[in-house]
Amino acid sequence: MFDNLQGGWIPSRWGAAISNLPNHLAGLTYWNFRNIGAPQTGFEMMSTKSKYGRLIAPTMVGNHGNAITFASMQEYSKHATKQGEASYKEWLPDQPQAWLESDGSRVFPSSLYQAQLEQRLGHLPAWVE
């Protein structure tokens, strides 16, 4: 999880060797991410332009700041099949390459991590700022 942070979206900047991509498991979540980078249209979580930059449809809750839209899952599935990188028997749905909830506005709690920690411990430890 990436929790209550800000930054920009730069293609192919997620680290790891090509053979290790994607470098996350199912359930990658961005919580209250504020895009302070340039607005983006059709941003590819699964790149069709490079073998780098592959994030499997993260869940984005409370994405806000500069506008961003995401490329189509369907377009990626067509590209990957054509390139021999995957073998889709049916195209993926024509929907964004991210699961969006409360897109364009922050959600409560501001930090899901801190809220879960407080619920588990009954209080926030002193080391949490």
Side-chain angles (χ1 to χ4, degrees):
M1 175 188 332
F2 290 94
D3 183 59
N4 197 27
L5 56 91
Q6 64 182 14
W9 293 97
I10 302 172
S12 304
R13 298 293 175 132
W14 297 308
I18 291 174
S19 61
N20 295 329
L21 293 174
N23 56 4
H24 66 89
L25 300 174
L28 176 62
T29 300
Y30 287 84
W31 187 270
N32 277 336
F33 181 84
R34 179 176 170 226
N35 181 20
I36 59 172
Q40 301 271 346
T41 301
F43 186 84
E44 293 184 316
M45 290 293 192
M46 294 293 288
S47 179
T48 60
K49 298 169 185 65
S50 170
K51 291 186 185 238
Y52 293 99
R54 304 272 170 104
L55 289 180
I56 300 172
T59 299
M60 302 188 71
V61 181
N63 192 41
H64 62 287
N66 293 330
I68 182 168
T69 62
F70 297 95
S72 165
M73 286 185 185
Q74 187 174 88
E75 291 306 312
Y76 172 76
S77 64
K78 290 178 180 180
H79 169 81
T81 300
K82 182 179 177 183
Q83 296 299 313
E85 296 172 353
S87 180
Y88 290 94
K89 293 182 182 8
E90 295 181 26
W91 303 133
L92 294 175
D94 189 17
Q95 59 191 40
Q97 293 179 359
W99 304 105
L100 304 170
E101 297 180 29
S102 297
D103 192 36
S105 58
R106 291 181 59 84
V107 296
F108 179 83
S110 290
S111 170
L112 183 59
Y113 170 77
Q114 287 183 8
Q116 289 176 337
L117 186 63
E118 183 174 21
Q119 184 176 7
R120 288 182 185 130
L121 301 178
H123 67 282
L124 279 177
W127 55 264
V128 176
E129 294 180 17

